[in-house]
Amino acid sequence: MVAVVRSLMVLLLAQVLLEGATGLIPEVGRRKYSESGKQTPEQSESFLNEFELRLLNMFGLRRRPTPSKQAVVPQYMLDLYRMHSANGDHSTKRPKSMGKHADRAASKANTIRSFHHEEAMEALASLKGKTTQQFYFNLTSIPDEELITSAELRIYRDQVMGAAALNTNSKNSSTSDSGPAGGFHRINIFEIFGAPATHGGEPLVRLLDTRLVQDSLSRWESFDVSPAVSQWTSGKGHNHGFMVEVLHPEEGEKNGEHAQRRSRHVRVSRSLHQDQDSWPQARPLLVTYGHDGRGDSVLHTREKRQAALRKQRRKQQHKASCKRHALYVDFSDVGWNEWIVAPPGYHAFYCHGECPFPLADHLNSTNHAIVQTLVNSVNSNIPRACCVPTDLSPISLLYLDEYEKVILKNYQDMVVEGCGCR
Ligand SMILES: *[C@@H]1O[C@H](CO)[C@@H](O)[C@H](O)[C@H]1NC(C)=O
Ligand SMILES: *[C@@H]1O[C@H](CO)[C@@H](O)[C@H](O)[C@H]1NC(C)=O
Ligand SMILES: *[C@@H]1O[C@H](CO)[C@@H](O)[C@H](O)[C@H]1NC(C)=O
């Protein structure tokens, strides 16, 4: 019963269907809708507006997001979506760059958000064989009720070509020149928790994560920044941003110029790179994993759905009796494809059919429904039990919010898995 009340969408959809509209979400002005003949265009428009408002509300949004054409959907979010999505390609492998950390984090989260830093607020310094970059990620779009369980800062680095040549002061030492035996550099990630004591001095920082990386590889590095982000979002600490430090231990102070050149291979600032085209997909990314206290984790969506589908297949359905019917919700019908990145639509299904006396076992009814059906057989003033969803499952949506932040979120009770007479 509770599930039925909560599944506002399914109820509304079923209503639309029973009223005879052909599409799930009828388009305003389209003939196919006006042909249904039950509502005037004004009525259907206000119904649609109401419907959309309710759905957005259910999604925790105040209005329909209208992202610009420049909005960038990070590849990592698409990979996460494919991995966790119930509708996704089941053969999808886990992204190569994805750390164990993210896997574990996602198993507890139902909302994954991604952020780019505010470039107007970055501060870059390069001296004595090290480069420091201060970042600020604006996290104010995370709602208060969302508990951040973990966060990762992802930084891309390019392979350093002829890495070892830089070590030997440009002398041509072909022996150590090539191959994977290049140099190393260290990447340190700090939380900034206070302003510097003197103007232009280094800020007060605390080390969050560190890694020694090989120059000869191009790949994403993921750093655990959970302690800082969960403090900021829970209001226990103020967000002063992160500081990233790139160190070249074997070069030291005497070779600052080379150090700087090498820092360009760690993508921390647009200003350090010639290759501006790749910047939107190679810039640093902060990814938060959170839970708003509602429903399953993103990871469990797919497992639950598959289990339910197996269960469903085992059941033989009778012809006109209460059962599940196909119903595809196409987001482009209401123009939602502008802000919902994936999926383009989904199979929502609906329940319809007779609940005849006597109720068969597979109709998954309650004692009450059996009694009501029994009474109906002798007194037709009492209606039969109703064919309703008895089992619903969630879906994952990848979408852009009103601040153009990319979010992967799990929504409860979106898909009918089983019907029954209640
Ligand atoms: C963070 O984003 C919000 C919403 O866009 C904005 O109101 C606020 O000023 C931003 N804060 C900073 C420090 O940029
Ligand atoms: C440097 O070494 C490369 C092979 O690694 C060689 O082709 C090149 O001619 C050398 N250059 C000089 C100036 O010795
Ligand atoms: C039947 O009802 C039970 C109890 O509500 C529910 O847990 C189960 O998922 C239902 N099964 C189907 C196939 O609808």
Side-chain angles (χ1 to χ4, degrees):
M1 199 58 202
V2 176
V4 176
V5 173
R6 271 188 309 168
S7 70
L8 174 67
M9 181 174 189
V10 176
L11 271 178
L12 277 166
L13 300 185
Q15 204 177 316
V16 173
L17 271 138
L18 293 175
E19 280 171 15
T22 38
L24 155 70
I25 303 171
E27 258 181 81
V28 183
R30 268 263 196 106
R31 273 180 74 208
K32 68 174 179 187
Y33 189 64
S34 49
E35 272 164 9
S36 79
K38 286 211 172 160
Q39 285 171 297
T40 66
E42 296 81 60
Q43 277 175 323
S44 64
E45 183 147 13
S46 73
F47 167 75
L48 273 187
N49 290 342
E50 173 93 345
F51 180 67
E52 176 168 28
L53 210 65
R54 286 205 185 188
L55 277 182
L56 288 172
N57 203 309
M58 195 177 88
F59 287 172
L61 299 165
R62 274 167 298 172
R63 64 189 85 91
R64 182 201 286 202
T66 50
S68 63
K69 289 275 179 288
Q70 288 83 47
V72 174
V73 178
Q75 185 57 43
Y76 186 60
M77 292 300 280
L78 289 168
D79 291 346
L80 285 176
Y81 168 76
R82 284 198 198 101
M83 210 178 103
H84 296 311
S85 155
N87 319 44
D89 173 7
H90 287 202
S91 66
T92 306
K93 290 196 185 73
R94 128 196 224 283
K96 237 180 274 161
S97 65
M98 192 183 185
K100 277 206 189 74
H101 165 74
D103 228 4
R104 205 161 7 96
S107 72
K108 283 180 283 183
N110 75 349
T111 309
I112 304 176
R113 294 172 191 270
S114 65
F115 299 87
H116 286 137
H117 71 281
E118 304 293 319
E119 287 185 86
M121 294 170 76
E122 73 179 30
L124 186 68
S126 238
L127 75 158
K128 293 180 183 167
K130 70 178 189 185
T131 300
T132 62
Q133 160 84 338
Q134 290 174 37
F135 289 124
Y136 177 79
F137 292 93
N138 189 343
L139 305 177
T140 54
S141 61
I142 300 178
D144 291 341
E145 67 270 18
E146 192 171 310
L147 186 72
I148 300 299
T149 49
S150 81
E152 58 172 329
L153 177 61
R154 299 175 56 78
I155 291 177
Y156 190 76
R157 57 194 187 80
D158 294 310
Q159 176 184 27
V160 181
M161 288 311 202
L166 294 169
N167 288 343
T168 52
N169 269 339
S170 306
K171 264 183 237 133
N172 202 350
S173 56
S174 52
T175 45
S176 63
D177 222 316
S178 52
F184 287 88
H185 53 253
R186 180 168 285 285
I187 304 175
N188 292 326
I189 309 290
F190 300 90
E191 172 192 355
I192 301 172
F193 63 92
T198 58
H199 186 72
E202 294 217 351
L204 298 169
V205 295
R206 170 162 51 207
L207 186 69
L208 287 169
D209 203 357
T210 178
R211 187 139 329 127
L212 191 63
V213 299
Q214 219 174 36
D215 287 347
S216 58
L217 298 170
S218 290
R219 52 172 286 175
W220 284 95
E221 298 292 343
S222 165
F223 298 91
D224 184 2
V225 294
S226 311
V229 174
S230 43
Q231 282 218 322
W232 297 339
T233 53
S234 65
K236 291 195 197 97
H238 185 74
N239 179 359
H240 292 282
F242 297 112
M243 189 174 88
V244 175
E245 180 180 68
V246 184
L247 285 171
H248 306 282
E250 80 273 33
E251 276 162 0
E253 300 188 8
K254 64 183 185 297
N255 213 345
E257 196 194 316
H258 287 147
Q260 216 178 328
R261 207 184 304 160
R262 292 182 128 196
S263 300
R264 293 183 189 192
H265 296 272
V266 180
R267 307 268 186 131
V268 291
S269 172
R270 190 195 289 269
S271 66
L272 286 176
H273 301 280
Q274 259 85 50
D275 183 9
Q276 297 284 312
D277 292 346
S278 65
W279 173 251
Q281 281 297 351
R283 60 185 295 185
L285 188 71
L286 180 69
V287 182
T288 65
Y289 299 83
H291 204 290
D292 59 8
R294 289 192 272 186
D296 280 347
S297 74
V298 174
L299 198 70
H300 291 149
T301 310
R302 184 160 130 188
E303 290 157 18
K304 186 178 169 193
R305 195 167 142 68
Q306 281 170 339
L309 280 175
R310 276 194 297 276
K311 203 166 73 186
Q312 180 70 24
R313 279 192 205 107
R314 265 187 258 125
K315 269 185 191 156
Q316 277 298 316
Q317 300 286 342
H318 286 222
K319 245 187 204 159
S321 65
C322 173
K323 67 172 184 182
R324 194 176 75 154
H325 298 264
L327 172 60
Y328 184 76
V329 181
D330 189 340
F331 293 133
S332 63
D333 277 355
V334 277
W336 283 21
N337 51 337
E338 280 167 31
W339 61 278
I340 298 182
V341 178
Y346 80 103
H347 293 280
F349 302 103
Y350 70 98
C351 295
H352 187 55
E354 294 297 308
C355 289
F357 172 80
L359 281 181
D361 282 350
H362 75 270
L363 292 177
N364 202 17
S365 43
T366 55
N367 285 339
H368 180 270
I370 292 167
V371 170
Q372 187 175 332
T373 310
L374 183 68
V375 174
N376 164 268
S377 69
V378 293
N379 178 358
S380 57
N381 288 334
I382 305 300
R384 282 176 176 171
C386 297
C387 178
V388 294
T390 52
D391 190 16
L392 295 153
S393 69
I395 61 163
S396 296
L397 283 188
L398 185 66
Y399 66 93
L400 289 148
D401 72 3
E402 51 200 306
Y403 309 107
E404 297 192 357
K405 305 280 189 259
V406 180
I407 300 163
L408 172 61
K409 198 171 163 84
N410 192 34
Y411 288 99
Q412 283 305 107
D413 298 343
M414 296 285 285
V415 178
V416 176
E417 294 293 352
C419 300
C421 295
R422 294 289 165 95

